[in-house]
Each structure stands twice: as C-alpha cells, then as structure tokens.
Amino acid sequence: MALKKVKGSIDRIFDKNLQDLVRGIRNHKDDEVKAKYISTCIDEIKQELKQENISVKANAVCKLTYLQMLGYDISWAAFNIVEVMSSSKFTYKRMGYLAASQSFHDGTDVIMLTTNQIRKDLNSPNQYDTGVALTGLSCFVTPDLSRDLANDIMTLMSHTKPYIRKKAVLIMYKVFLKYPESLRPAFPRLKEKLDDPDPGVQSAAVNVICELARRNPKNYLSLAPLFFKLMTSSTNNWVLIKIIKLFGALTPLEPRLGKKLIEPLTNLIHSTSAMSLLYECVNTVIAVLISLSTGMPNHSASIQLCVQKLRILIEDSDQNLKYLGLLAMSKILKTHPKSVQSHKDLILQCLDDKDESIRLRALDLLYGMVSKKNLMEIVKKLMLHVDKAEGTTYRDELLTKIIDICSQSNYQYITNFEWYISILVELTRLEGTRHGHLIASQMLDVAVRVKAIRGFAVSQMALLLDSAPLLSGNMQRKGICEVLYAAAWICGEFSEYLEDPVQTLEAMLRPKVSTLPGHIQAVYVQNAAKLFAAVLRNGQQGSQEGAAVQETIQLLTDQLPIFVQSADLEVQERASCFLQLVKYIQKLQQKDVDVGEEVTALFAGELNPVAPKAQKKVPVPEGLDLDAWINDPPSEPESEDEKSKSAFAKEEPQQPRQRHREVDEKELARRREERKQEQANNPFYIKGSTPAPKGYQDTMGVEHIPVVQIDLSVPLKVPGMATSDKYVKIEEERRKRDRAEKGKKKEKKKKREKRSRGDRRNESGPESEEDIRPAQTVDIVTEEMPENALPSDDEDRDPNDPYRALDIDLDKPLAESETLPVRKHRAPDPVKSPAEDGEKPEAPQELKKKSKKEKREKEKKEEKKSKEEKKKKKHRHEAEEDPAGEKEKAPPPAPEMEAVQSPSKSKQEVPPASAPAEDLDFWLSNEPVPSKSQEAVVATSKSTTEEPADPGQGSDIEDAKSSKHKKKKQKKEKEEKEKKKKKQHRVPNQEEEESVQNGTVEEEEDPLPPMSNYCLLAENTYIKMVCDVQGNLQDSSRVVVSVIFENKSSSFLKSMEFNVLDSLNAKLQRPEGAGPHDSLSVPFQLPPGVSNEARFVFSVQSIVMPQKLKGTLTFIVKSDDGSSHEKLDFKLHFTCTSYLTTTPCYSDAYAKLLESADMKGSSARLQGVGLPFQHLLAKICFHHHFSVVEKINSCASLYSRSIQGHHICLLVKYTDQTVTIDAKCDESSLLGNLLDEIKLTFSQS
Amino acid sequence: MIKAILIFNNHGKPRLSKFYEHYTEDTEQQIIRETFHLVSKRDDNVCNFLEGGMLIGGSDNKLIYRHYATLYFVFCVDSSESELGILDLIQVFVETLDKCFENVCELDLIFHMDKVHNILSEMVMGGMVLETNMNEIITQVDAQNKMEKSEAGIAGAPARAVSAVKNMNLPEIPRNINIGDISIKVPNLPSFK
C-alpha cells in the first residue's frame, strides 16, 4: 500500500502541471499547432482523471480550469470535479471548487450529487473549508441547492468568525434569487447583521439589502430609518455609497424621505473628500429633487449646489470625472432643464473632447437643452461636427442625435420647417452613413404632417431625385439611397406642388434607377404613375400641355420596360400594370377621350399619420372573448364513440362556411370598411381612399395651399439645393421683426397702464420661449387614434424578470409555515434548528394567518382615513391659529403643526401588523424638516433681480390677511406661496430698508412681518455676508453656520477664503491635514449680482454661554481692468439660541419635566410690547427655536432642547402689553443668557 | 452587481475570466473578444467607462476598466455599483496582486491563474464586493496558502524539486524578465478609503 503511494507520487512527477501546460501552449505559436497540442493535452488529462490518485486528478482539474478560460468546454469532467471537491485536503478542495465555480451552472446534472458534500464543508471546523465552499457555491448555486442549504447558510450568518459571517451574508442574496421562499424567514437575521460589530459583515449586509431593495424598493421603505441612522454614523465609504444609492431608489416612493435626506446629503457633499462619495450624494440629491419636483416648493439651492459641483467635475482634467459629471447632469436635465441650460457653453465644449464617451454624453445633454430659441444654433454647431467627425460610428451617432433633437416632442422646438428640410437634405450628403432610413422617415413624417411645408419639401425632393450623386456608386451609399424612397414618394404624393412634373418624371425613369434596391424602385414606379396622373391633369388645361402629355406617354412607354424586366417581383408587377395602363390611356387619348380625371381618381385621397400605439388601443368589442374557443377544443379520441364523433365532425366544417356565405353581404361590406380604415391608417399604403373620394382639384383649392402664409422673407422657390445656414439669419431677422411689432404693442399697452411695474421685461431683454412664433403656421396633423381608444400605457414588467419573485412583503410577520427546510431524518416532526429560535417569539400572532390579508387591507384603509383626517386637521389647525399658522408655511416648517399631529397619532391604536409603516410615518414626520435655510437662499438669490419696493405688496398683504378661511386658503395657497417668497426676497436687507422706505406703513398693515434668522455678518462694497447659526441635531457638539455670500459689485469674485480665529470653546472644522489657522476656501465663485450659500461646521464644547468669533474673508475681485485682493473682517456671533433645536414635546411629558427637581427657574418681564400675542409667540418660536406645547387664551407653554440635551421650558403670559416669561431649565446660566437674548429680540423690534 | 471580471493583455489574450452569470464557453470567448475590441481602441487618456458591450446584460451595464502596462483589467457592472468605487476596487485588486506576487508582472498571471482566482475570491464573491481592505485580503490569502503548504509537506517536496528543475531547463522563459511593471500609481483619483 505504502509502496503504491510512493509509486504514485513518483509517477506524478512526470505529469504536466499547470505551469507546464501554459509553457507548452506558449511554445506553440501557430494556431493550428497549438490546437493540436491542446487536444493531446486534453487526452492526457483524460488519462490522468482515470487514475485513482486524487492529487493527479486535482492537477488535471486545475489544468482544465485553465483550458476553460481559453474557451474549451470541460463539462465532460464535471464528475471528476466533484470528486476533487470532496477531497479532504484543502489544496485539492480549493482546486475543485474553483473548477466548479468556473464551469458549473443550473444545467449541470452532477450538482445534485454535491449537496451533502457542500453541507459537510459548510459545517467544517476549518473556516477556510467553509469559506471555499461558500465562494464556490455563490457561483453555481441552483434552486435545489438553495432550498437544501438555506438553513445551513443561515446558521453560518451567526458564525463566530466574521470571515464566515460576511460570506454567508453575501451568499444569501444568491439563495434568495434562486429560492425566493427563503427571503422572509431569513430576513430578520439579515437585518440583524446591519448592526454587526464587524464592519465587513455590516457592509455585506448593506450590500445584500441594497441589492434586494433596488429591485423591489417599496418593500424596503420601512428600513429607511435604520439606513438613515447608518448613513449618519458610518464612516465606511463603500457602505455610505451603497446606502446613498439605495436612498436614491427609495425616494421616488416616499417624497417625505427625500426632504429628510437633503440636509445630511448636502452636508456630506460639503464635507467629503472622496469624489466617489460626493458623486453618489449629488446623484441621490438629484433623485430627491426629481421626486420632489411635483408640488413642492423649489429647492433651487440644492439644485444650484448640484449643478455647481457637477460643473466642477466636468471642468476637471480627469476624464472620468468629466464623464460622470455629464452623466449626472443629464439626470437633472429632465426636471430642471433651466439650471442646466446655463452651462451650455461647457457642454458644447465637451463636444470637442477627444474622448468619444464624453462626446456622446454631451450629445445626450444637448438633447434636453434645446429650445425654440437656440435649436438652430445648436444644430448648426452639430452640423459642423458632422463635417469634422472622422469615423462613421460617431458621425452616425451625431446624425441620429440631430434628428432626435429636432423631432423631439412632436417637433416642438422647430420654428421653421423649411430649415429642417434643408438640414435633412444636407444630411443626405454624408457618405457611408447607415441612417438613410432614418432621414427618409423624417422627410416623410414632416411632409405628411406639416401641410404648410409640402410645397417646399416637394421642390427639394425633386432636386434630390434629379441630382446624380445619390444614385452613383450606390454600393457604398447603400444606406443613404433610402432617402430616394422618401423623395420619390413625396414628389408623387404631393405632385400638385411640383413645378415641373415632367422633368421629375424623367429623373425618376432614368436607367440608372434600376440599380437601386427593389423596394425603392417599386416606389419609383408607383409614384411615376402618380406623376403621370398629374401631367394628365395639367394636360386638360391647355393645348400646349397636350404636347407634353404625348411626350410623357412616349417617355413612359420607352422607359418602363426596364422595370418590367426587373428581378424584383414587386417592381415587375407594378411596372407592367402601369405600362398597360399607359398604353390604354394612349389609346383613349388618340380617341380624344379625356381621362385625366379618372386617372387622378386612382390616387385621390389624403393620408393621415397614425399614432404608433393606435393598433394596441383598439378596444376589444363587448362580448368578444379572444380566449374562447371558436370551435370546441379537439378532445382526445379515447373510445369508439369518440371516433364516430370525429367522423361526424368532418362534415361539420362545411356548415359554418355556408352560414358564412349567407351573411357575407353585410360581413363583406363591414370588412371592406375595416380594410379601408386600415389602409387609410397606413402611411405607406399609397391608395388610401377616404369615404368620399374627391378629385384633387376639389380638395386642394389654391386657398388651401398655405404657402402664402410662409413668411415673406423666405423665398418660395429656392434655386438649387437649400442650405440650412441662411435660415439662421432669416430666422433672426424674422424674430427681430416680430419683437419690434410686439414692442410696439407693448408700448401702447404701457401707455394705457398708469403704473409700469418694475419687473416688466424691457424690450431689449431676452425674449422668452413663448415669444417665438413659428415661421409657418404649423398645423401638425395629430396622429390618428381609433375611436374610444383605451388608455393603456401601463407597461407591464418583464414576466421573465428573475427579481420579480423577490417582490415579497417583509413587514408581515412570519407565518408558521414559513421556515427554511431543515434536513430531516425521516422523523415526521421537524427538528428544531437554532435558526428557528429567533423566529419563535412571533409565532403566537400567526394563528390568524388566514384573515391576515383582509385585516391588512382594512388597516390600510384605516390608515388612509386617518391620514385624510390628519390633513383636514392640518387645515383646520392652520385656519384657527391663523397668523401663526400662516407663518408656518414661511421659513420654519411647521414645528407646531407637528406637535399637534404627533399626539393624535400616538393616541391611535396602532395594530401590530402595520406598525412598521406607522413607524416610518412617524419617523418621516417627526423631525423638523430642514429646508429653512434653503428657502431663504432662494430668496436672496432672486432678490437681486427684484425691485426693492414693490407697489403691489401692500395689497398682497391684505390678501393674505383676508384669506383666513379654509377654502379660500386652499385656492390661494399657491399664490400665497409666491407672495411669501416675494416677501422673503427682502429679508436680508430688510433692516435698513424697512425703516427708510416704507417701514411705518408696512408695520401697521402687516399682521406678521416676514422673519428670517439670517443676520448681517459683514458688508463692504464688493460683498455682503449674512449668516444663520444652527445646531446640528445629530451631533451634540457641532454647529452649522450657513453663510450667504452676495456679490454686490459688477466684478467677478473668486478664490474666496473663509477663516475664523478659533477660541478655546469653538473651533472651525477644517479638513484633515489642515493646520489650525488655515482658511477654508469657499467652494464656489460669484459672478456679479449672484449670491450663494456655503456652510461651515464648528465644533463647540460648552453651549451655556454666547460667544463671538473674529474672522476674515479674503477674496479676489476680478474686473475688466484687472484683479485685486480684498479682505473683509467679521464677527461671528454664537448666541445661546443657536444651540437650540426645535423639538416638539407632548404636554404630559412637558408636565413631568416641570415637576422634576433639577430644573432651575428664572423669569423675565417685557414691557411695552405692542405685538399681538400670536405674533409674539411666533417670534419666539421662530427666532429662538421653540415649539408651542399648549396655548390657552393669552398664556402659552413652549419647549425647546439644546443640542446637548438641555430642556428649556417657557411659560409666557401676556397682559396689557406686558409679557412675563417664567422659564425653567436644567442649566441656569444657559437659561439666563437665553432670556437676555429673548429680551433683546423684543427690544429691537 | 458585478457581472464579470476580465483580465486580458494588449493582444486580447485572456489572463483571467470570471463570469458571475452563466454563459457557454463560446459566448464567453465572444464577450472577451468584443470587450477587448471595445477597450483596446481607446486611448490611455480617455475616461475609463464604456457603455455598450451588447453581450453582457444590456443598457444597464457598464464596462469599467483600467490599463496597466500590458494588461487590461475590465469589470462589467450594472447600475448599482458606483463607477468610481469600482475603479478603486480595481486598484485595490492590482495592489493586492502586487503584494502577493512581489512586483507582479504579466507572467505571474499567466502561470498562476489559480492563485489570481484565489485572491479575487477574497475580494468579490458571487458578483458582490466582499472585502475592500487590502490588508484583510492579504491576511486571508496568506493564511490559506500557509495551509496549503503545510498540507503539501514532505509529499510535495519531489514535485517542487522537479518543477524547479523544469524551470531551469527552459531558459526561453526566464522568470526575471518583467513585462512591464504593473503597479502604476493611480492618477488623479483621491483616495477612496
């Protein structure tokens, strides 16, 4: 025995190992020799596999793995691979699993032999045996394996070694895919793993859940709070990226989530140094903005931020960042085209990039950036690129993009179709393009649908037909000759517009035409017939034309035989028909019979375009069941009885046929009608006849030809081929004229108006989209739809989608039957595995399994109801508390509202099953929505364009006052929002203006002056800084300072650097590696008149005292005469208020707080306060971040919390202009300072 | 999800192919050829992302690649992966190879495909990223190699001796020729981890 072993190992020495094989293959350079060598190697391997020695087998399998990579099928060795896998030695086992992972798949039948082996390996005491088995399994797991091994793998998820845990967690995804039933039982444990102490395991769990959620996001909404927590706590960029991507998938389902996300995401954007994370954050912010874009106040600050960051990416020298920047930009484009359009220059620049991927991305962006105004300009640029582009693929891409851009949303942006036709004609000059067909279909589409353009189109097409180049050398120009198809059809169909039909006819019958592809020739012949009809029609008008007719007939009889001989059946058939027709007409002509009208009638009728989905949308008539059998389904002949029946059935078929014939009169008529309809709907069916066919002359009176309406500046007859360039000029002139006319009108209007509003656009200002009038009266014929078409745009998901099976509700508690299959030893009762223990506690609920579904539905309904009620309550609440309520919609987003809302929710009996959803609801609505500062930014950025004194404002305010009632309010909500915005516009510079200009008047009238927490930080001739200091909810020692920089000068401000002298208590957070005195660069530049916001994070130790920090802003002013370095000093004031965060509190919790011993009391009196109580409260709430707990008459209790968890309770009483504030707080100095600040607030006003 | 990981050289010769979805051997070769065709015609100073590659997946998928000396490392991924993240992962992969093979070159990959597979399997499992920390990866790989060595023990000695002799007998493939140094510093990418 021992001898045998030794002998085996000696033999083995002379076997080839992997290195020898590779070396051998490399020595045989010639392909043929190499193939031969490999086949001898395979023979050797086959021999080796037959040996008993496992190491020989393993060596052979290893070589096979290499050969598999080179493309050799090794499925025949599957069994040997299994043998090697089951070796007890790790070395061989690993080789076996590697070979299996490379070659096994669902169809490999030996896989079912492996189940027990794999289970043994999974439970092996050696962690690497388990690891190798898991890795291998991840590649070839089958439904059977997943079912049998799911339980074992789930046990491994709680293995002591993190190495095994993370692999087990990851492989669960594969198991879920193959065996969806395992998802629900395994999910609780998977969720647990999100909190695993090992970051690798945690990351794996995030990975799996993200992958699951990406496919079926709605089932994972309830995990949002958990992920939110992870996002704010995790520092692993991989995990963060996954989570952020996941949120991107979730936000479309839950806009509230988006609102919650914006702030942490923007913080991340500002703080991260990893480009990958930054990019994903921007991407998700975009997704949030898209989901919010309907019905939410705009978040233009966030958009601005995104676009700005993307611009930085695009301008980067790294091509990767450039590419990604463009990619993300195209997402913004869909919802906020305006903000992208301002970067047109940059994108056009990218068109010149040497990198094709980048050029293609830029092209994609252009698609969304066109407007009526710039379409011509952009297309002109693209045409230049078409000329320059080498390499046909990119040029073809350009061509399709030009057409896409022009034809998008029903030619929305085309103002001059003549220009478009000439662009198309220019495109036909491209050599070797594949897209002739595309151009052709555009020509057809435009000619059919834009009636006004037909005359021009026909003249151009006639020229195309006449020009030789398209015909010559058509082997290379194969693609482009498709255009002739369109040209011939257009000339034929709209022959009444042709100047000289005879000439065109001649062009169409040239012998060279016979070299064109068959389908084009066929169209030529058919349309030659139409032209002939036109010639005949003209022939009736005068004797001079008569000669022309004779000539034409001669021409046709001479040339048509070429086509009769064509190899293409269609051409042949049409040509011979037409030839006979011509001969017949010739005969009739000789007899002086006038046939013009009859021939014309052959081609009468108008074609209308049909909507692409028209066919699908034809409703199924009532009573028609398409699935029903027309005849009884053939039953399987079983007995003799059946046989006789089947014999009888043979006669059967005749009966229905006869019956059919009886009804056929009606039936046929109906069918004919149907067919007509169908033909009429088919744009390529030439002889579509409308119900009442008329001669062409009848339908097309001169007055119907709208050529007259075409702008006078455009010459009707274009000598030679049109060039698109001239249209750009013409168009400009036309627009100028238009504008001038409009300007006149406006002036007249203005004279009539007594006051001219400041925000009126000047004549010289840029014209808006709507101002541009299309050159032609474009009556784009709408596409036809069948009557009572079904609105059926829902696109079903692909039934073969493997991920559909994973669309499983995870919030439902587990049912008893839902456990993973466990190995059983024939024992009838299931053996409990450790995995099941985790699920046990939930078992009692599962008894009512049957009624659960109904119950859930009920609950859902209830939820809905309660939601509606809540909404109503909201309104009522707003109406009751009117000034405060109104204020809520302004900057601070409804802290009080939430306070009311939340208790109502908590009172509700929450059924256990829907708890997660409720939790989510609560989570989503609980925290104040952090959009405060953003709106203010919007305000300031717009304020520059707004006139400071808007005469309409006074009345606006009155409006607001009167709109207390609920109904009115709803209606006016929108208006009001706008008004509010206007009000806010003035916020930053309010302090000075209010007093100087119209302060007194306004203060009396305005029930609730606009409020903002932004206060002036510093100002000089160039720049103005306003700032707001806010505590960070997530971090007890951080304060975020949002600073709005406004460029007041007419020069460009750049390289702004922000620096603050740190104190012991407060420090500016600088990026890692920066020294304690380094300044932070502001991440943007400011063009003249623009403002933008930047945020700076400070870490604060003690928050009980207010403090001031000295700081400097340095920047470079760049103007025409050069640039200068400027400096602006400021003092940043951290008030105690800024450490408070608006936190709602329930009245019972509030009562308990007041009772607690460690609360210290203090009080303050304010005298001579002229404000109504409501306003007073609103002011305290807004400026000092409090929320109202309860309010009774002129007495109210308020609550707030500091970022370090101090509770502050206020009791505010109001009598005769005197306000007493009794306050309690667990930190007396904080309270004292706070009360001083409140006093200050009211003494200022 | 990562759909496939391919390594091939400047001439399109595959050095490693790992598909996380099943294809027949013929399709796999076709994919490798097509990918090589797409990637090889791109300059070195263009971006590392490619759309298309019709064979794997479809429009949702992207090719993300890096070119080191004579080798292309191509990852085919779907939209759930972060582009820049994968670029970093490739870098981690190459650096790990560099550590494990000590100045890795193309020849190492040619002769030790199995080892490359073993390293890769500690980074990516079933198409999902398993580990991104290079030290952790190397620890696990080393531990497994150690096990392998202890298993080979005395029985492996003759085989090792023979293979050493074989290497000596074949001077046409000298081990010391470096076909270009693979470990090139990543340009312009701020550190990820």
Side-chain angles (χ1 to χ4, degrees), chain A residues 543-562:
Chain A
S543 56
Q544 231 186 9
E545 313 280 333
V549 172
Q550 288 306 322
E551 269 173 42
T552 318
I553 289 174
Q554 193 56 44
L555 176 77
L556 285 169
T557 44
D558 286 350
Q559 299 295 333
L560 276 176
I562 304 171

Side-chain angles (χ1 to χ4, degrees), chain A residues 1107-1221:
Chain A
Q1107 85 179 106
K1108 282 183 179 174
L1109 290 183
K1110 272 188 186 172
T1112 344
L1113 181 83
T1114 56
F1115 51 94
I1116 293 174
V1117 182
K1118 205 176 150 192
S1119 57
D1120 294 335
D1121 2 288
S1123 55
S1124 63
H1125 214 89
E1126 295 292 335
K1127 198 175 113 177
L1128 177 60
D1129 290 328
F1130 57 85
K1131 260 189 193 164
L1132 194 56
H1133 193 91
F1134 288 101
T1135 56
C1136 283
T1137 296
S1138 47
Y1139 303 127
L1140 300 188
T1141 55
T1142 317
T1143 320
C1145 183
Y1146 308 137
S1147 50
D1148 43 351
Y1150 188 77
K1152 266 187 198 158
L1153 253 182
L1154 288 178
E1155 283 164 17
S1156 73
D1158 35 309
M1159 297 290 271
K1160 287 141 197 142
S1162 176
S1163 62
R1165 274 170 81 89
L1166 304 170
Q1167 280 183 324
V1169 176
L1171 288 169
F1173 187 53
Q1174 295 288 5
H1175 296 181
L1176 180 102
L1177 275 188
K1179 230 170 167 168
I1180 296 178
C1181 284
F1182 182 71
H1183 286 298
H1184 299 283
H1185 307 167
F1186 275 88
S1187 62
V1188 176
V1189 181
E1190 240 172 335
K1191 183 181 152 245
I1192 303 156
N1193 299 327
S1194 58
C1195 180
S1197 50
L1198 291 88
Y1199 173 79
S1200 182
R1201 235 180 85 166
S1202 78
I1203 53 171
Q1204 293 182 352
H1206 305 290
H1207 303 280
I1208 300 112
C1209 306
L1210 296 185
L1211 185 67
V1212 184
K1213 285 181 209 155
Y1214 184 68
T1215 36
D1216 295 335
Q1217 305 221 331
T1218 311
V1219 181
T1220 44
I1221 301 178

Side-chain angles (χ1 to χ4, degrees), chain A residues 13 19-20 23 69 90-91 102 105 126 128 163 166 174 214 237 245 276 320 323 355 361, chain B residues 17-18 22 29 47-48 51 78-79 111 122 126 131-132 140 144 147 151 162 166-167 170 192:
Chain A
I13 292 170
Q19 278 76 36
D20 298 326
R23 205 171 281 138
M69 181 181 76
F90 173 73
T91 318
Q102 292 293 84
H105 52 94
N126 182 342
Y128 291 113
Y163 177 72
K166 72 183 176 194
K174 294 278 173 168
R214 199 167 69 95
N237 281 349
K245 270 190 167 268
S276 42
N320 290 330
Y323 172 86
D355 189 347
R361 284 276 135 249
Chain B
S17 67
K18 182 85 209 169
H22 176 68
Q29 292 303 309
C47 74
N48 298 94
E51 280 149 82
D78 69 13
S79 61
F111 286 104
E122 295 301 324
E131 184 58 69
T132 52
Q140 301 299 348
Q144 292 177 51
M147 244 175 84
E151 273 181 1
V162 168
K166 279 175 185 164
N167 282 338
L170 291 165
F192 182 75

